[in-house]
Amino acid sequence: MKLSRKEILGLRKKKEAVFLITGATGFIGSHTAIKLLKRGYRVIMFSRPNRGATAGERIKAMFEWFELDTDEFGANLEIIEGFLDKPDLGISKKTYSYLLNTVDEIIHCAANTSFSEKKRGELETVNIGILKNLSSLINSENSRCYFFHHISTVYVAGKQKNIFEETLINTPEFNNVYEETKYRGEQFISEVFPQSGVRVNIYRSSIVYGDSENGRSTLFNAVYYPVKMALFLKNTYRNDILKKGGEKAKQMGVRLDEDGSIFLPIRMGNKSGGTINLIPINYYTDAFIAILEYSVDPGIFHIINNSDTTLDDLTGFFSKSFNIKGFRSVSGEELKEEPLNALEILFSEYLKMYEPYIRDIRRFDNKRSEKILSKSNIKCPEFDLDIFSRCMNYAISVNWKNPWK
Amino acid sequence: MISEKAAGIAAQCRHYAMCKIDFLGTGLCPPGEDNHYVSYYPQGRMDLYDALAKGLIPVTERLVDIANTCTLCGICDKQCHFVTELRPMVVMRALKDHVGSHIAENKKIVQIEEDDILKQFKKVVGEKNATNDPAILVTYSNDPAPMAKIQMPQYVVLPSGREEVKNIISVCNQFKIPFAVRGNGSSVFGIVMSEGVVLDMGRNKEISMDKDNWKINIGAGVSAFDLQIEADKNGFRVNSAEPSALICSNIMCSGILSTFSNSYGTGADNYVDAEFVSNQGEAFNLNDKKGPNLFGFDKQGSPSPGICTGASIKLQPVTEDEEGLGIPFSSFDEAATFCRDLSRRRIGISIALLGGEYISTFISPTSDMAEKVKTLFIETLGISFLVVVIGDKYAIETIKKMAPITINDKLFRLMMLSLPQMVAGEWIEMLGELETNRNLYELFCKEEMYPLLETVLNPSPEAIGSVVPEDLRDFYTQLYSRPEMTNLAWLSTFRILSSRMGRFKHVVAFIGYAPLDKIEVIKKMIGEFKRIGDKYNLKHDYGFLTPVDLGKRAILEYDFYIDHTNPAEIQQMLRAMGEAGPMVGEMSMNTKGIQWINTILFQGFSRKENFLYR
Ligand code: SF4
């Protein structure tokens, strides 16, 4: 190992360790960076320019959303603009050697989280290719870097049905290209990085949503998407009924009930069992930092929720929050009785991709993480109606768009 | 006083001659229809104003007449906006103002002396139909084709019928004056100019049906659009090219290439007979045993055999159950293979494989909308290519079995009438965010989705009308209320949308025949065009492909776009052409089935077998 436990802990304690954060403007990257800065660490945020805005401008806008100012952190915050997908990271030689001489630990948050096979090329570049570029940096003779924190997912487990421990696993089959590329990324770093004495921690999380306390978020995919879709349909048909005579709603079997609720005829196949594991971003970052600070020896950590949520829970929260009825689980035979209507086609397409996560029968062991988290009294809140409403209402308030972009 | 704004618009005229046909039911420019010279049509008036702005012509008697005869009716504004998004009325007003103040200020109006040659021409065609007035001449002196250079003719003559043409050619030969023959608008090669006489063939618009012989006889001034209207009225169809093209000129140039060539063929397949006057002034017919053999083909190219003064065009049967169908594809290979399969199985009448650029440009009333539609089609829906087929109900049913996802007339109409809602808004954004392994079009185009699409997109003629400038909205709304404007079969037959491809900039089209039995060769050609376009920094894109002769061959078009008023772009285009020409030449030497339009020029009457299989 490049540095001993003691040396690492010493550097961190004195807040002299410099963290490079990739994907610093992403959902997890931004929250992580800010948490580290707030704890007094030195952070280099690495980000690319986008839509005519420089990395600096983007990060400034992002800080404003966090109700912070980049200047507050003085010399503890540095911003470097570059492109991780380029072998030289898209930065000058001078900046490259600055990183070699300065960065102690890398927190690799940059990832592509799409499940779509059509985007395989992009996923392979971001989830694997970038690691190769970073390995050149880390494995350079004169690199200071001694620790690589890899943000991963428990879903590297792929299509297996066992209980997964916090160890490297061997996955033969995947539900999608995201799982596969994240798995291949883990394999790559665990083979390549330790060779040069760099410690590697892998943090695998389940599905991360917004802040459970205030509902704030910058990302509205996964569990948000079907809610957004259903609300859109509700508003569209409500408008048709109230303003246009309701002919189209009638044709679709949509109706407005006397209690003011809207009925959307959407059948879903009721495959038995399975739950969804959801963790809020505030819990995630607390857990991540606690593990990072505590665990100096390399390890794999599962950051998950000990209490799962069912699809029925979700539809229940949804109905109550938004006064929408009509979602019902039916048997496979019943589903086949009538061809899917347009609304069902949309939701079934969503479910097709999210089925493995929404009705997940995989189980993830988290003893190692729990040991650390319980010491710090960090607990994951149960995903309940209150949290659901808070998060969705925030999403509505920002029109389901990243509010700082 | 020359208005800069008007001069800017005037210089942009692409010479597509759409203002010379009544393709929107607005009626024609009245003075254009009465006087025949292009100078009296909006196109010519644009050129005139451009020429005045550049100081190329004085105010002449004819110019005064041209300016005075404009009624400011506004027809040209509607027509031209539909095609190019230009607003020529600004120019028409400015032209009238310019001439009006010239007269008010008592400035000189130039009278041009008649010479002996002109007198001879007038003897043949009548007083009105021959002139040496610069206001007429200048509108025949230029062309947006990049290799065209300004050539001011000495005379412009409007002959009608074979006898007049024969006699005009005799006068030309007697005085040793060179001549060029001109159809309705521009030419791909800039060959419609001459220092001597330009013969504008647009005057003879005679059409007569000969149903028993399944043919329609036309004069040299009949446009593809007018011919199709006449055929359609009688329950037939003809194979025809761009709507504003004069059929006879079009045949002389390249033969008729259209998406219906899939079943109606190309070259000699389309004509029963034709009449000509040779360059020496002798009359002959296509079917004369002793006449020149125009059915043959010389791959080295061939000079013009003379002037086509009339033709008998084949009438094709039409069934009442014809419909259009679009079949979306994300890959060219699959789309081309599908086209070939349809053609060899004899399924469908018209088949076209369109690229994203064409689809979006054709269906959008503005270029801004076209850009958005292109992004929507290619990036959001995953439709990079669309095969458009026109067929009878049996063909349509069969295609639906062959291709699981199709765009029928109903969906096509729905999409066209809701373009603004399609390209922006929550709904499409949300669809774009849907995680799926499929192309989004596979969901979007499902028939079960139609009721939902109707609800969220709210298609209406008003919606499509809302994207054009306010003063044209009512017109567009009424236009798009007409069912044919959103009917694939009608639009494919009358082709009124394809001239929109020149809306953004003037189009320089590379057209020819390619071996559809070797799709990899076609892809290589497309790749080369793309490479050349990139190298010379020109906008360029794949155009279309249509199977010919049961899918053995195809018509292929690749387009480059240039601002024809920008000398630097013209130079780049000439360099690109200098590289693309030899590239195609070399490929055609090494691969059977490649025959490019420059070798077909003047050989449009050939049997297709003579150029497809050599
Ligand atoms: S405004 Fe003038 S140029 Fe335009 S169509 Fe009417 S008469 Fe012709």
Side-chain angles (χ1 to χ4, degrees), chain B residues 29-31 40-42 45 69-76 89 92:
Chain B
C29 169
Y40 282 84
Y41 281 104
R45 292 164 191 272
T69 50
C70 170
T71 59
L72 293 179
C73 66
I75 288 173
C76 51
M89 278 298 282
M92 303 314 147

Side-chain angles (χ1 to χ4, degrees), chain B residues 259 329 331-333 335-337 339 351-362 374 378 384-388 501 507-510 514 516 519 522-527 529-531 533 539-547 554-561 596:
Chain B
T259 59
F329 288 94
S331 98
F332 180 82
D333 278 64
T337 308
C339 282
I351 300 176
L353 194 179
L354 307 177
E357 178 73 27
Y358 268 30
I359 310 165
S360 52
T361 302
F362 291 179
K374 191 174 169 185
I378 298 176
S384 296
F385 298 95
L386 186 70
V387 173
V388 177
M501 69 200 240
V507 179
V508 179
F510 281 80
L516 193 50
I519 291 173
I522 296 181
K523 278 171 62 186
K524 193 173 163 204
M525 287 176 89
I526 292 172
F529 282 128
K530 185 178 179 323
R531 182 187 61 75
K539 177 180 157 71
H540 59 92
D541 216 322
Y542 161 81
F544 84 102
L545 175 149
T546 282
I555 300 166
L556 177 66
E557 176 167 336
Y558 196 96
D559 301 307
F560 289 74
Y561 298 82
W596 227 236

Side-chain angles (χ1 to χ4, degrees), chain A residues 117-118 225 228 244 349, chain B residues 430 433 436-438 458:
Chain A
E117 187 59 34
K118 286 182 291 178
Y225 185 82
K228 178 183 176 185
K244 297 179 183 170
E349 195 66 22
Chain B
M430 205 157 41
E433 289 166 2
T436 167
N437 281 335
R438 297 200 266 181
N458 250 318

